[in-house]
Amino acid sequence: MTYDMLLLRFGEFTLKGKNRNRFEKSVLNHIRNVLKPYPGAKILKEYGRLYIELNGEPPEILIHALKKVFGLVSISPVRVCPSELDPIIATAVEFVGQKELTDTTTFKVNARRVWKQFPHSSQEMNHLVGSPLLRTYPQLKVKVKKPDIELRVEIRENETYLYYEVIPGAGGYPLGTNGKAMLLLSGGIDSPVAGWSAMRRGLEIECVHFYSFPYTSQLAKEKVMELTRLLSGYTGKIKLHLVPFTDVQTSFVGIGQDNLIITFMRRAMLRIASSLAKREGALAIVTGDSLGQVASQTLPSMNVIGRATELPLLRPLVMMDKNDIINIAMDIGTFETSILPYEDCCTLFVPKSPTTNPNLNIIEKVEASLTRLPALLQAAVEGTETVIITPDSKIGTMAEKNEEFTVNEDWF
């Protein structure tokens, strides 16, 4: 396909009234960063829209990159021609002819005369453009509602834009416009999806991962770094905090409360994440909890676990089915990494019958009896390793392991 421009449409933040300029500035800065490797691309700003003049840059590559920009709801590749009848018709015929047409292909022309001095009305242009298309491509059939091809013709004073593709974008709010939060990132399917969902709502995220060496392997840590790398494709870079959790986790073993270990462990994670949040200036914690999915995600469990922090707990997936979460993981590219068989600390010391209805008073009394716990939590915070992950980061041997691993159909 041959294109001259890309039309970018903003999302729901355009309804924000006086704050709209702030959101537009943020998404524009994100787009500029995405386009840095493509010096020929030029941004043209218009109220409610952006245009990217391609000037020879590859449209497919730019579209792939721009689809990850939060705040953009859709992208349309555009052909440009002079605002005169004959060039408009000729461009329309050539443009539609580049698409593979069959005897069942339906279409309509949707013309809009933005430049009112143009001699033909919008309704007239629908017929003036549509008739040559039918003569040139007799296999086409006119269909007014939901055609296969809706050729849009926007007639402006200096030039006319033609397009028919509307490619969905990431939508949501521009990155970072709603503050910063800490994402508890395990090696599973759910938490990367929760992180992506949080970023889509305008949150800047920093990831927090808890590892328990030597019980968990280096590959388990690299797996989480790879998940962070995949998420950074939507942001440019993400800060990842790697928390040594072995001493904290093992302090809960052998105290005679095996069925509550998961609850103690989750509360400890929230306390550590809260300390990191305070240090990093984050105002919330994001988790991948989905109501009822496991013992720690029943409503009583989430209530008791959540009391360990005063920060807001954001749970984007709380009402989602597992299949819906998996579908999003596939769409954003994290699924195949998430199912690699490298266990994280959440799978260690799991009791046969974890409680689904913990008692807050009992939990707090047991924690109060663990006199070393506050010091262990502080040591974990102080021992945290922080790395910056970008889309170009090289993550150990993960690339080789991904090639070796086969997806099991049972996961679907």
Side-chain angles (χ1 to χ4, degrees):
M1 287 288 189
T2 303
Y3 302 112
D4 303 305
M5 301 173 66
L6 299 178
L7 162 59
L8 314 180
R9 300 177 187 85
F10 295 146
E12 61 186 286
F13 69 82
T14 56
L15 304 176
K16 286 298 179 181
K18 294 181 180 180
N19 290 321
R20 174 172 174 160
N21 288 338
R22 177 172 68 89
F23 288 101
E24 287 191 0
K25 183 178 179 181
S26 179
V27 75
L28 187 59
N29 288 337
H30 194 173
I31 291 169
R32 287 196 180 105
N33 288 332
V34 168
L35 295 181
K36 280 182 180 178
Y38 311 99
K42 180 182 177 183
I43 300 174
L44 302 177
K45 189 175 182 297
E46 185 182 286
Y47 188 77
R49 287 179 172 182
L50 288 177
Y51 294 94
I52 308 295
E53 287 186 349
L54 294 173
N55 297 317
E57 297 291 357
E60 295 82 6
I61 295 176
L62 264 65
I63 290 170
H64 178 74
L66 290 166
K67 283 172 66 177
K68 294 184 175 183
V69 174
F70 295 113
L72 294 182
V73 70
S74 65
I75 305 167
S76 290
V78 176
R79 286 293 302 273
V80 180
C81 70
S83 292
E84 301 172 8
L85 181 60
D86 289 343
I88 291 173
I89 293 173
T91 303
V93 169
E94 178 197 358
F95 192 33
V96 172
Q98 292 181 3
K99 187 174 178 63
E100 186 175 339
L101 306 175
T102 69
D103 292 338
T104 61
T105 302
T106 59
F107 89 108
K108 79 171 183 178
V109 177
N110 186 348
R112 185 163 71 97
R113 187 180 61 166
V114 180
W115 178 39
K116 299 305 180 184
Q117 281 68 47
F118 188 76
H120 303 284
S121 68
S122 298
Q123 191 63 33
E124 289 173 335
M125 286 301 293
N126 290 339
H127 296 288
L128 290 171
V129 175
S131 295
L133 287 172
L134 284 172
R135 288 194 297 270
T136 306
Y137 308 109
Q139 66 268 45
L140 288 175
K141 303 291 185 296
V142 175
K143 186 179 181 182
V144 176
K145 294 183 177 180
K146 297 182 179 180
D148 299 321
I149 300 173
E150 181 176 357
L151 178 63
R152 297 178 182 269
V153 182
E154 293 189 7
I155 304 167
R156 299 167 178 267
E157 183 173 1
N158 296 320
E159 53 194 8
T160 292
Y161 303 153
L162 296 89
Y163 60 92
Y164 53 77
E165 290 181 86
V166 179
I167 301 167
Y173 287 89
L175 184 67
T177 53
N178 284 325
K180 183 195 289 188
M182 310 300 282
L183 169 68
L184 301 190
L185 182 64
S186 70
I189 297 170
D190 299 343
S191 57
V193 175
W196 177 86
S197 300
M199 291 189 295
R200 188 172 182 267
R201 300 311 295 169
L203 285 177
E204 175 191 352
I205 64 166
E206 294 187 8
C207 299
V208 181
H209 176 68
F210 300 87
Y211 67 93
S212 293
F213 184 81
Y215 301 105
T216 57
S217 67
Q218 176 65 22
L219 283 173
K221 185 190 290 187
E222 290 181 6
K223 174 182 175 181
V224 170
M225 295 175 73
E226 173 65 9
L227 288 171
T228 305
R229 188 191 70 81
L230 294 171
L231 290 176
S232 74
Y234 292 88
T235 65
K237 63 179 179 180
I238 292 180
K239 190 179 289 187
L240 171 63
H241 305 280
L242 297 164
V243 181
F245 199 59
T246 308
D247 291 342
V248 175
Q249 193 167 13
T250 53
S251 71
F252 300 126
V253 178
I255 61 174
Q257 300 287 346
D258 288 354
N259 63 328
L260 293 173
I261 283 180
I262 298 298
T263 303
F264 291 131
M265 182 176 69
R266 299 282 186 184
R267 283 170 61 87
M269 288 178 172
L270 287 182
R271 289 192 173 104
I272 293 170
S274 297
S275 295
L276 294 172
K278 183 178 180 180
R279 189 183 76 187
E280 300 294 325
L283 300 177
I285 296 174
V286 179
T287 76
D289 294 341
S290 177
L291 187 61
Q293 191 173 126
V294 294
S296 63
Q297 294 173 18
T298 63
L299 193 56
S301 289
M302 288 195 293
N303 177 50
V304 169
I305 292 169
R307 299 294 184 92
T309 180
E310 294 181 354
L311 289 178
L313 278 177
L314 307 181
R315 299 178 171 104
L317 315 183
V318 70
M319 296 299 179
M320 294 181 64
D321 291 337
K322 190 67 174 184
N323 285 339
D324 295 332
I325 298 169
I326 289 174
N327 288 336
I328 296 175
M330 290 179 173
D331 289 341
I332 66 176
T334 58
F335 178 76
E336 291 191 1
T337 299
S338 290
I339 60 176
L340 290 173
Y342 310 129
E343 294 184 336
D344 58 28
C345 69
C346 296
T347 61
L348 300 177
F349 313 123
V350 176
K352 292 182 178 179
S353 301
T355 184
T356 59
N357 188 24
N359 184 291
L360 181 60
N361 291 330
I362 293 175
I363 293 292
E364 291 178 340
K365 286 180 181 179
V366 174
E367 287 177 342
S369 71
L370 301 174
T371 55
R372 294 181 59 243
L373 182 58
L376 293 174
L377 295 176
Q378 183 59 33
V381 172
E382 293 173 356
T384 296
E385 173 191 4
T386 299
V387 293
I388 304 295
I389 305 292
T390 70
D392 299 323
S393 295
K394 305 299 181 184
I395 312 298
T397 58
M398 285 304 300
E400 300 172 10
K401 294 297 178 181
N402 269 310
E403 291 177 1
E404 296 173 5
F405 187 61
T406 303
V407 175
N408 189 328
E409 292 181 0
D410 293 340
W411 284 316
F412 299 89

